[in-house]
């Protein structure tokens, strides 16, 4: 197996979108459910291909195995995240129209009470971590995190943080092995016809 980490590119959108979706399907379905014209995966692919916003290719690194995208993760600081809200509004309205877009935005804001964006410039947030199912357990996740930790240090971050579903013990165990510790349990009461958003845990690693 020939594996490498590289910066994502806009043309990776079609391959990366299903992986990003798999990192939190309950949350994505909650947001892009009722009367949304564009389903979650379609929005992710569109937003990934843009040059700005939380899901832009600019913030992602991909794991490439034998020339194919097999994993994703995003990494950015609180300073980077300050402009995300405006770009998200534009992208959501573009994909869903004004009225349906407003509903999507409202649900997205509720999700941010559970999966809280970073706020500090020295806080490096790692999100949308996913490895293709048939390649899990081969060390690719660890390799991806080691790469992101080095990037965080190079940017002057003092801490890496992430959120993990309380219903994903396998991922939580990986993060614990990498040195992350649970710093906050975040209960969720969010649910709609698309399903229930699980409780989450905020985990942190001092650099």
């Amino acid at each position: 197996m020939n594996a490498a980490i590289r910066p994502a590119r806009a043309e990776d959108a079609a391959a990366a979108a299903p992986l990003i979706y798999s990192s939190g399907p309950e949350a994505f379905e909650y947001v892009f459910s009722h009367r949304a014209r564009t389903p979650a995966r379609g929005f992710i692919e569109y937003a990934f291909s843009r040059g700005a916003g939380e899901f832009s290719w600019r913030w992602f690194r991909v794991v490439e195995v034998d020339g194919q995208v097999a994993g994703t993760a995003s990494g950015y600081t609180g300073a980077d995240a300050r402009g995300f809200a405006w770009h998200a509004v534009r992208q959501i309205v573009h994909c869903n129209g004004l009225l349906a877009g407003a509903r999507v935005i409202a649900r997205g804001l509720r999700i941010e009470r559970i999966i809280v964006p970073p706020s500090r410039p020295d806080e490096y947030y790692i999100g949308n971590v996913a490895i293709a199912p048939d390649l899990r357990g081969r060390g690719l996740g660890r390799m991806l995190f080691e790469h992101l930790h080095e990037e965080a240090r190079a940017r002057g971050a003092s801490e890496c943080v992430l959120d993990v579903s309380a219903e994903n013990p396998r991922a939580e165990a990986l993060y614990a092995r990498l040195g992350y510790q649970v710093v906050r349990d975040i209960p969720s009461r969010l649910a709609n016809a698309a399903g229930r958003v699980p409780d989450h845990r905020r985990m942190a690693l001092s650099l």
Side-chain angles (χ1 to χ4, degrees):
M1 181 177 68
N2 184 17
I5 309 293
R6 64 165 173 81
R9 301 186 287 258
E11 55 266 32
D12 295 322
L19 290 165
I20 296 169
Y21 173 84
S22 74
S23 71
E26 300 92 349
F28 283 124
E29 287 300 325
Y30 173 83
V31 173
F32 294 93
S33 54
H34 183 61
R35 296 184 182 176
R37 288 199 319 229
T38 303
R41 275 173 280 197
F43 175 79
I44 294 167
E45 184 171 342
Y46 169 78
F48 188 95
S49 67
R50 304 295 96 184
E54 177 182 355
F55 296 105
S56 169
W57 58 270
R58 294 181 184 277
W59 307 113
F60 279 82
R61 299 295 176 263
V62 299
V63 182
E64 198 171 60
V65 175
D66 298 330
Q68 302 297 315
V69 174
T72 64
S74 59
Y76 48 85
T77 68
D80 299 325
R82 288 173 188 159
F84 286 176
W86 168 240
H87 293 295
V89 168
R90 292 180 61 190
Q91 291 166 0
I92 290 168
V93 171
H94 173 85
C95 289
N96 294 282
L98 190 59
L99 185 58
R103 296 189 183 100
V104 171
I105 291 164
R107 291 192 292 272
L109 290 172
R110 294 186 198 112
I111 285 288
E112 289 190 354
R113 300 173 193 166
I114 310 299
I115 304 171
V116 183
S119 57
R120 304 192 324 266
D122 66 334
E123 183 181 32
Y124 191 84
Y125 187 84
I126 296 175
N128 306 121
V129 180
I131 301 295
D134 59 330
L135 291 171
R136 291 172 187 167
R138 301 192 186 187
L140 297 176
R142 176 179 288 275
M143 186 169 74
L144 184 55
F145 267 90
E146 289 172 351
H147 181 93
L148 289 167
H149 293 163
E150 286 303 313
E151 287 199 2
R153 292 186 185 96
R155 296 197 60 188
S158 64
E159 184 179 53
C160 285
V161 297
L162 56 82
D163 293 290
V164 61
S165 166
E167 298 178 1
N168 191 352
R170 180 172 179 172
E172 185 176 340
L174 169 63
Y175 306 149
R177 289 195 297 273
L178 292 170
Y180 284 81
Q181 296 183 333
V182 175
V183 295
R184 184 183 174 195
D185 287 309
I186 308 171
S188 170
R189 296 182 179 177
L190 299 181
N192 59 16
R196 184 183 68 85
V197 178
D199 298 345
H200 277 68
R201 294 189 175 110
R202 172 61 59 95
M203 302 183 76
L205 172 71
S206 295
L207 297 174

